[in-house]
Amino acid sequence: MNTKILLTFSALLLLQFSANSQAEAGLLTGINYSTHYFKSDLNIYAIRPRIDYFGGLAYQYSFNNKWRLSSNAIYSREGFKNELEGIIESLHYRFSYLSMLSEAEYRLFPFLSFGAGANLSLLTDSDTNYKESGWKDVDRAGYIKKINYSLTGKIKLEYRGFYTFARYNLGIRDIENISHTDATGNVIPVDQFTRNMQFGLGYMVKLSK
């Protein structure tokens, strides 16, 4: 049900104003440099970033020569590594999302713009890889939340339909229902948030009236 809602919402945003010559659509792809932030009184984590990819559809509508609305519907693979040489053995976590991003962009120059917005993501898969033994499903217990919310900030360069960008996604929802116990058996809550830096490129074409 959540998947249908997200895909319908994505389609509506990407098709809005499609008959207007100020609207553009295209494709994008790129690299995720992602990690997770653990908020806890326990200092037991040795978190390292991991690199993966994203790709999908792009849409933008210009209100004038300075302001426009930009939307992306993408498939994104993110995660982190939990390892510290000589102390913690290598364990990789991978989370796959269908994401819908909406951002307001301000064009400072014809080739340079800045954007900010929000990202709604639906978890489609979650896996672990222990000591390079192969990826295995990690969500058998159902403790990973299916929906994630992020705030985004972006810088974008463009030239004749082609563009490249750097975007930071700041997760604002605790994505797991987990806790730990200390040496005396007291339960210590743990909040876990996504952090993801995206480096991407794409191409846009104008939509005819």
Side-chain angles (χ1 to χ4, degrees):
M1 184 64 180
N2 287 331
T3 302
K4 292 180 180 179
I5 293 174
L6 181 63
L7 291 177
T8 300
F9 179 63
S10 301
L12 289 174
L13 281 182
L14 290 173
L15 291 175
Q16 64 181 324
F17 309 119
S18 59
N20 195 299
S21 61
Q22 292 176 296
E24 297 175 278
L27 301 174
L28 75 161
T29 188
I31 298 297
N32 287 324
Y33 185 78
S34 60
T35 187
H36 282 200
Y37 167 65
F38 289 82
K39 184 179 179 182
S40 172
D41 292 334
L42 295 176
N43 186 22
I44 61 173
Y45 305 103
I47 305 304
R48 301 288 183 267
R50 71 178 302 270
I51 297 174
D52 219 311
Y53 71 90
F54 68 90
L57 305 175
Y59 172 88
Q60 63 186 27
Y61 176 79
S62 298
F63 298 100
N64 50 49
N65 63 353
K66 290 293 185 182
W67 289 98
R68 64 188 173 197
L69 173 68
S70 174
S71 297
N72 294 166
I74 64 173
Y75 173 75
S76 179
R77 298 208 314 193
E78 307 167 17
F80 65 96
K81 304 175 186 177
N82 191 8
E83 58 185 16
L84 189 61
E85 186 175 355
I87 301 176
I88 299 176
E89 296 183 90
S90 176
L91 180 60
H92 295 204
Y93 291 84
R94 182 176 67 191
F95 300 88
S96 300
Y97 289 99
L98 287 176
S99 298
M100 182 65 218
L101 298 93
S102 292
E103 297 169 310
E105 292 186 7
Y106 179 76
R107 186 180 297 171
L108 187 61
F109 302 108
F111 62 90
L112 175 65
S113 59
F114 297 89
N119 179 359
L120 171 65
S121 298
L122 173 67
L123 182 71
T124 62
D125 202 8
S126 54
D127 307 280
T128 59
N129 189 347
Y130 176 63
K131 297 175 66 174
E132 304 299 331
S133 61
W135 291 102
K136 298 179 180 179
D137 180 26
V138 73
D139 196 24
R140 293 187 180 93
Y143 60 85
I144 300 176
K145 297 176 182 177
K146 301 300 182 183
I147 299 294
N148 187 32
Y149 310 106
S150 304
L151 301 178
T152 68
K154 178 177 68 178
I155 182 171
K156 181 177 177 181
L157 297 171
E158 52 194 306
Y159 179 73
R160 293 187 177 181
F162 293 95
Y163 66 95
T164 184
F165 65 92
R167 175 197 287 132
Y168 187 67
N169 294 263
L170 178 70
I172 58 175
R173 188 188 193 200
D174 176 17
I175 68 165
E176 291 197 86
N177 298 310
I178 60 175
S179 60
H180 292 279
T181 56
D182 60 18
T184 62
N186 295 317
V187 176
I188 307 297
V190 179
D191 294 333
Q192 183 175 345
F193 302 92
T194 58
R195 302 288 187 262
N196 186 26
M197 189 72 196
Q198 296 180 312
F199 301 96
L201 55 88
Y203 182 75
M204 305 289 286
V205 294
K206 290 185 177 181
L207 301 178
S208 59
K209 292 184 177 180

